[in-house]
Amino acid sequence: ITSPEGRKSMLKLAERMVMSFCSGVGASTAHAWTTMSSTGSDDVRVMTRKSMDDPGRPPGIVLSAATSFWIPVAPKRVFDFLRDENSRSEWDILSNGGMVQEMAHIANGREPGNCVSLLRVNSGNSSQSNMLILQESCTDASGSYVIYAPVDIVAMNVVLSGGDPDYVALLPSGFAILPDGSVGGGENGNQEVVSSSTASESCGSLLTVAFQILVDSVPTAKLSLGSVATVNSLIKCTVERIKAAVACDRGGGGP
């Protein structure tokens, strides 16, 4: 980022990305969630939206999918794992195992995890080589989020030069991480409710995973069952990868 204008444009784009994520995973009477048939304890819910005449979103049929689950890992550890570009290949199927490099970083508060980043995925897949990802992460005692979206490299060059970010098409995905409100058992093994000031020391986390994916570039097209099955499989695979990775990391040192 070579100018204050570029920094301002990138922050403005990140702000729109977070708002788009929140509206994209929020239900309403007009956009209701449908629960997929679940074989396990974690239900995946899906919802479709038509994107038309919005320069900030790619046109077509957008499929949103989300699930929430509990893991016995402290929220801070989950947050640090998900926001770290070095561990991204452990859960992000779309990065295809490629090396992820942080190209730009803007601190957004005193907490080290509060920042906006521009990541580049150096993938062995030629169709995904040099893919860019805009990411914002934020944490406090009440909860955390990590939200990201693939972005076009040409459009981002315009933004980093101070250009208008409103015309960059985004489909954000991401995570919401909440403390489960409990700490280690007391004398009788009972869990105690904790205040927000000690929430970061919570024994477990409630993690919501949400994806927004363009499944057809024609807004009037009908949603295929194959697209739903693919997204369902994608979110379940991501959940399993996260569970496996943070479970393996629980024995490590540090908070």
Side-chain angles (χ1 to χ4, degrees):
I1 305 175
T2 57
S3 68
E5 291 78 13
R7 174 188 173 94
K8 182 178 179 181
S9 291
M10 184 168 160
L11 287 173
K12 186 177 178 183
L13 181 61
E15 181 182 36
R16 177 163 66 84
M17 177 180 69
V18 172
M19 293 176 64
S20 176
F21 173 82
C22 294
S23 63
V25 299
S28 66
T29 53
H31 298 95
W33 291 101
T34 300
T35 303
M36 303 285 290
S37 56
S38 176
T39 55
S41 59
D42 304 324
D43 286 333
V44 174
R45 301 194 176 197
V46 297
M47 172 171 50
T48 58
R49 297 172 188 257
K50 291 183 180 180
S51 175
M52 298 177 66
D53 304 321
D54 183 353
R57 294 171 70 88
I61 302 295
V62 176
L63 181 62
S64 300
T67 189
S68 298
F69 58 96
W70 177 83
I71 47 176
V73 182
K76 185 179 188 305
R77 188 181 294 278
V78 178
F79 174 73
D80 288 340
F81 170 77
L82 291 173
R83 73 178 179 86
D84 187 355
E85 71 273 13
N86 295 315
S87 58
R88 190 178 190 96
S89 61
E90 295 185 46
W91 59 265
D92 187 2
I93 298 166
L94 298 180
S95 69
N96 201 33
M99 186 182 72
V100 180
Q101 179 183 9
E102 187 178 62
M103 305 299 295
H105 179 101
I106 300 176
N108 201 10
R110 294 182 179 180
E111 169 65 42
N114 291 4
C115 64
V116 175
S117 303
L118 185 64
L119 311 174
R120 183 173 68 185
V121 179
N122 297 313
S123 172
N125 186 336
S126 59
S127 66
Q128 291 180 317
S129 60
N130 295 323
M131 179 174 71
L132 295 180
I133 297 173
L134 181 66
Q135 175 176 291
E136 178 165 340
S137 54
C138 182
T139 185
D140 61 26
S142 63
S144 313
Y145 64 75
V146 178
I147 298 170
Y148 64 91
V151 287
D152 180 71
I153 192 168
V154 176
M156 278 309 299
N157 279 331
V158 173
V159 170
L160 295 178
S161 300
D164 188 352
D166 291 344
Y167 294 93
V168 179
L170 292 174
L171 271 184
S173 298
F175 308 93
I177 309 154
L178 297 175
D180 66 1
S182 64
V183 292
E187 294 180 3
N188 298 322
N190 296 325
Q191 292 184 325
E192 303 169 358
V193 175
V194 297
S195 66
S196 61
S197 62
T198 57
S200 62
E201 301 171 8
S202 169
C203 287
S205 305
L206 297 173
L207 179 60
T208 296
V209 182
F211 290 154
Q212 293 186 88
I213 297 175
L214 188 73
V215 292
D216 200 305
S217 57
V218 179
T220 55
K222 290 188 177 181
L223 182 67
S224 70
L225 290 176
S227 296
V228 176
T230 298
V231 174
N232 184 47
S233 175
L234 175 66
I235 199 168
K236 290 206 167 206
C237 185
T238 302
V239 168
E240 291 306 314
R241 285 190 176 198
I242 291 171
K243 286 181 177 180
V246 296
C248 290
D249 190 47
R250 284 181 68 194

